[in-house]
Amino acid sequence: MNIKFVVVGKLKEKYFKAGIAEYAKRMSRFCKFKIEEVKDEPTPEGASQAQMDKIMDIEGTRILDHIKNNEYVYALAIWGKELTSEKFAKEIKDLMTYGHSKITFVIGGSLGLAPKVLKRADEQISFGRFTMPHQLMRLVLSEQVYRAFMINEGSPYHK
C-alpha cells in the first residue's frame, strides 16, 4: 500500500515536521508514505477573484502533475463529506481490499483547490467546517491515516 500527500507549499515549522515524522515512522509498518510538496503561488494583497482563480489554477496544474491515473484521490475540501474515524478506516480497508493500493490525499493552499483538482478527486472529504492552516492539516491528516490503520488492526490506540 502506498499513501501519498500532495500538498501546496513548504512546511517550515519544526513542531509540525516533528509530528508528521513521528506518524510517518509509525505508518511505515503498514504502508509506504510520502509527502510531495508543490510550489505555492504568492497571492497579492487585495487580489481580485480573477487573480485568485488564476493562482488556484496554476497550483492545481502543479498538483495534478503529481497524480497518476491509477491513484485513488481524496481531496480535502471544506464542503466535502465528513467521516468518523471508524468510517474513514473502513473506507481505507475497502480500498485496499478492492485493489486500490495507491491512495493520494490532496491539501490545497490558502485559497483552496482548483475545480479541476476537485473534479479529478474520487472523493472530497472534510475535517469539519473550520478553516485550518494547511500545515496543521498535514499533521491532523497524518494522525488520522495512522489511526485508520490502527482501527483496522483492532489496536487499542483508537480508544
Side-chain angles (χ1 to χ4, degrees), residues 5-115:
F5 294 1
V6 178
V7 300
V8 175
K10 292 223 175 283
L11 193 59
K12 298 173 186 97
E13 296 84 355
K14 288 180 184 170
Y15 50 91
F16 286 140
K17 286 182 182 180
I20 292 166
E22 176 61 28
Y23 288 114
K25 184 175 81 175
R26 293 180 187 192
M27 279 190 274
S28 67
R29 62 186 255 234
F30 301 107
C31 67
K32 286 183 181 176
F33 173 72
K34 69 178 174 176
I35 296 176
E36 295 181 4
E37 295 177 332
V38 302
K39 183 182 179 307
D40 58 337
E41 279 297 297
T43 304
E45 209 165 304
S48 69
Q49 187 61 51
Q51 287 173 304
M52 291 189 290
D53 290 346
K54 175 81 171 149
I55 290 166
M56 281 193 300
D57 188 63
I58 291 167
E59 291 175 348
T61 298
R62 290 177 184 152
I63 289 167
L64 292 174
D65 286 345
H66 287 262
I67 298 173
K68 307 225 178 351
N69 288 338
N70 63 345
E71 295 174 14
Y72 190 91
V73 178
Y74 282 100
L76 274 67
I78 199 162
W79 299 111
K81 74 176 179 180
E82 294 184 48
L83 300 166
T84 63
S85 294
E86 294 86 356
K87 284 186 180 178
F88 181 60
K90 183 178 182 329
E91 281 198 13
I92 298 295
K93 185 178 184 177
D94 288 348
L95 286 171
M96 293 184 327
T97 301
Y98 297 109
H100 293 283
S101 62
K102 296 179 180 180
I103 302 173
T104 298
F105 295 88
V106 179
I107 301 174
S110 60
L111 299 177
L113 292 169

